[in-house]
């Protein structure tokens, strides 16, 4: 079926979102068309406001409404520790635990040669500048256990070692409630490596 140009354009825009295929984009477009005009206007306005009012922190590269962000401005944070994450969503996941009280550095991606992303395409230089200028005693690498995450962690650890700063990595293992028999070998190996005394 050939859609009117306005609907086809809307579907094309939805398809640009990650993990959205043609059918999902079509469903979202038709859902939006069924919404009352007042809701569509609110939705459109929220997109514009989010784009206009979101900044990248000049220190840690977190997404925020201010720069520096609230975390970098806080005097209650431990300034001797920097947790390195790939994206703001990872920072938010860690913050939800209320366990970590240090600062962050958001790389805004991971090294991925297959996707054409090299070390110069993410915020590694800025991290090294922070390590030179700040009183950092520990860098925690909180990157995913994917191939890209592993490559980025290895690359960062080689760059950070000459600073004489402690480098640690978050433990990976079995999620709570998971059955051991269904876990893959790498997850089980990581869980054994990350074991602690009880």
């Amino acid at each position: 079926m050939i859609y009117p140009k306005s609907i086809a354009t809307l579907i094309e825009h939805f398809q640009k979102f990650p993990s959205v295929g043609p059918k999902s984009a079509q469903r979202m477009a038709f859902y939006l068309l069924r919404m009352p005009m007042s809701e569509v206007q609110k939705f459109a306005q929220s997109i514009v406001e989010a784009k206009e009012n979101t900044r990248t922190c000049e220190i840690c590269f977190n997404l925020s409404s201010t720069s520096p962000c609230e975390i970098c401005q806080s005097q209650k944070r431990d300034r001797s520790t920097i947790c390195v994450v790939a994206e703001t969503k990872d920072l938010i996941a860690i913050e939800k635990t209320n366990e970590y009280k240090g600062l962050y550095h958001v790389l805004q991606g991971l090294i991925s040669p297959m996707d054409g992303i090299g070390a110069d395409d993410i915020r590694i230089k800025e991290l090294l500048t922070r390590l030179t200028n700040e009183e950092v005693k520990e860098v925690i690498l909180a990157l995913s256990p994917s191939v890209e995450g592993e490559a980025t962690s290895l690359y960062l650890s080689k760059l950070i070692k000459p600073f004489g700063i402690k480098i640690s990595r978050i433990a990976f293992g079995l999620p709570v409630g998971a059955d051991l028999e269904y876990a893959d070998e790498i997850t089980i190996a990581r869980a054994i490596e990350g074991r602690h005394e009880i």
Side-chain angles (χ1 to χ4, degrees):
M1 180 179 173
I2 299 171
Y3 295 110
K5 189 173 188 304
S6 58
I7 296 175
T9 302
L10 184 59
I11 292 170
E12 283 175 28
H13 281 296
F14 277 125
Q15 272 188 268
K16 292 178 184 176
F17 285 87
S19 304
V20 175
K23 294 230 184 249
S24 295
Q26 182 181 326
R27 277 194 299 277
M28 287 190 280
F30 281 105
Y31 178 81
L32 196 68
L33 292 171
R34 286 192 301 273
M35 288 171 62
M37 183 53 101
S38 61
E39 289 298 310
V40 172
Q41 288 171 334
K42 284 180 192 174
F43 179 63
Q45 187 59 36
S46 67
I47 294 171
V48 172
E49 285 177 10
K51 187 67 178 167
E52 287 177 347
N53 298 324
T54 303
R55 310 266 179 276
T56 300
C57 176
E58 62 202 49
I59 298 170
C60 73
F61 302 96
N62 179 23
L63 293 178
S64 176
S65 57
T66 62
S67 182
C69 69
E70 295 83 2
I71 294 171
C72 288
Q73 287 182 46
S74 174
Q75 296 305 309
K76 295 179 181 177
R77 306 297 292 215
D78 174 10
R79 300 194 168 278
S80 68
T81 308
I82 294 178
C83 181
V84 179
V85 295
E87 303 287 348
T88 294
K89 62 185 177 182
D90 303 324
L91 180 155
I92 292 167
I94 294 170
E95 280 296 290
K96 283 182 181 175
T97 68
N98 290 318
E99 291 294 320
Y100 178 69
K101 304 300 180 199
L103 299 177
Y104 291 93
H105 188 85
V106 182
L107 293 173
Q108 296 182 339
L110 294 170
I111 295 171
S112 178
M114 295 288 286
D115 298 319
I117 302 169
D120 293 336
D121 299 316
I122 58 177
R123 302 291 184 168
I124 292 175
K125 285 182 206 146
E126 293 85 349
L127 173 62
L128 299 178
T129 300
R130 288 181 73 184
L131 299 181
T132 304
N133 298 335
E134 297 177 21
E135 302 272 330
V136 179
K137 294 178 182 166
E138 181 181 8
V139 172
I140 302 167
L141 301 177
L143 305 175
S144 68
S146 64
V147 172
E148 295 82 5
E150 293 289 335
T152 306
S153 293
L154 184 63
Y155 185 78
L156 285 173
S157 63
K158 286 181 180 177
L159 291 176
I160 296 168
K161 266 202 168 98
F163 286 90
I165 295 170
K166 178 182 175 184
I167 306 165
S168 59
R169 182 118 193 247
I170 60 168
F172 295 101
L174 298 167
V176 174
D179 287 324
L180 196 61
E181 67 178 300
Y182 298 117
D184 61 273
E185 294 83 9
I186 295 172
T187 301
I188 294 172
R190 284 289 167 82
I192 292 171
E193 286 171 16
R195 72 190 184 279
H196 63 277
E197 190 175 339
I198 55 170

